């Protein structure tokens, strides 16, 4: 079984106040959806910051709906958590993701923290700020106990980890349970792919250049997503690069 993992699409982001840059994000997202369908994956995981804001514009919502319907037509479900850009940090708030439940989007949330795809457990937690670290660590412990009952499992998070995102992080690397097979991370816009525990820990990075300080990583690793094959004893990760719309020049 194989799946696609992407994150930080930030649909609706208008860099430099330019509508052209907003459209660039939509065009890259469409390219990624088409490539995912070409790869004939079994499902998709989106690890947060689907939208630029918790109140996305109709244009952002429609562009996501277009991609989701393409996946649905190909028989490919998407599982998604909310990132820090997707949620209003107040009690009782819900992410815009819930609008698309009837179109087949599987929202990983407090209500539904786990799903089963065949024999693979998908477990996740939406973004928690560092001020809620005790709650976050407690939930991670609960999900780790559930993963212990499954041969294969995926942990989905949208958090900064000290090893990769210092000094603005919510978790230390030692806080991450080590009994999952794949760690589908979001929040950091650079590409990270490392061994962790018995599996792989991956930040696929953002799908477009969100800030100018991402240009160096883009030149090294490109922008895009990953394809993960779960059939072997350890996940096999393949980087899929997607051309962005414009050249960025450092001065």
């Amino acid at each position: 079984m194989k799946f696609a993992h992407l994150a930080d699409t930030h649909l609706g982001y208008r860099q430099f106040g330019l509508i052209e840059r907003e459209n660039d994000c939509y065009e890259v997202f469409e390219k990624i959806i088409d490539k995912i369908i070409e790869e004939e994956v079994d499902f998709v995981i989106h690890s947060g910051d689907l939208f630029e804001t918790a109140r996305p514009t109709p244009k952002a919502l429609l562009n996501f709906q277009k991609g989701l319907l393409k996946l649905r037509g190909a028989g490919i479900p998407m599982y998604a958590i909310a990132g820090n850009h997707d949620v209003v940090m107040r009690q009782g708030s819900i992410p815009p993701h819930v609008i698309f439940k009837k179109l087949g989007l599987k929202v990983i949330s407090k209500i539904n923290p786990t799903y089963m795809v065949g024999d693979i457990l998908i477990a996740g937690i939406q973004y928690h700020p560092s001020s809620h670290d005790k709650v976050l660590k407690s939930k991670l412990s609960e999900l780790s106990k559930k993963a212990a009952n499954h041969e294969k499992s995926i942990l989905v998070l949208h958090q900064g980890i000290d090893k990769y995102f210092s000094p603005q992080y919510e978790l230390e690397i030692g806080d991450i349970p080590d009994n999952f097979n794949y760690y589908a991370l979001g929040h950091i816009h650079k590409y990270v792919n490392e061994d962790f525990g018995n599996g792989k820990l991956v930040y696929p990075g953002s799908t477009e250049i969100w800030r100018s300080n991402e240009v160096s990583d883009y030149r090294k690793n490109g922008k895009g997503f990953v394809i993960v094959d779960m059939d072997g004893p350890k996940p096999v990760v393949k980087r899929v690069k997607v051309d962005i719309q414009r050249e960025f020049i450092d001065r």
Side-chain angles (χ1 to χ4, degrees), residues 133 137 140-141 169-178 196:
D133 65 323
K137 291 173 187 177
L140 283 171
S141 178
Y169 60 87
E170 297 84 38
L171 291 169
E172 296 180 356
I173 192 69
D175 297 325
I176 309 297
D178 63 1
F196 183 80

Side-chain angles (χ1 to χ4, degrees), residues 157 159-166 168-174 176 185 187-188 201 203:
L157 296 175
Q159 304 290 160
I161 299 172
D162 62 340
K163 183 177 178 180
Y164 314 107
F165 204 50
S166 180
Q168 294 177 320
Y169 60 87
E170 297 84 38
L171 291 169
E172 296 180 356
I173 192 69
I176 309 297
L185 276 292
H187 194 38
I188 298 174
L201 184 151
Y203 285 93

Side-chain angles (χ1 to χ4, degrees), residues 54 82 86-88 90-99 111 126:
D86 297 315
V87 292
V88 178
R90 67 167 181 259
Q91 189 174 4
S93 65
I94 57 175
H97 301 53
V98 299
I99 298 170
I111 297 172
Q126 75 171 42

Side-chain angles (χ1 to χ4, degrees), residues 103-124:
L103 293 181
L105 182 64
K106 311 294 185 184
V107 182
I108 304 169
S109 65
K110 182 178 180 180
I111 297 172
N112 294 302
T114 62
Y115 290 89
M116 290 298 301
V117 181
D119 62 347
I120 299 174
L121 173 74
I122 299 176

Side-chain angles (χ1 to χ4, degrees), residues 6 8 19 24 70 82 93 142 169-171 207 210 227 235:
L6 71 157
D8 297 283
I19 191 170
D24 288 348
K70 274 189 177 181
S93 65
E142 291 173 9
Y169 60 87
E170 297 84 38
L171 291 169
T207 54
W210 193 71
I227 298 293

Side-chain angles (χ1 to χ4, degrees), residues 37-72:
I37 292 170
E38 288 175 13
E39 290 282 349
E40 298 182 331
V41 300
D42 296 288
F43 59 94
V44 178
I45 289 178
H46 193 298
S47 298
D49 283 358
L50 174 57
F51 299 104
E52 172 62 13
T53 76
R55 299 182 179 89
T57 63
K59 190 174 182 180
L61 293 168
L62 286 170
N63 274 274
F64 175 64
Q65 178 178 277
K66 180 182 176 182
L68 185 64
L69 288 174
K70 274 189 177 181
L71 290 174
R72 183 179 179 181

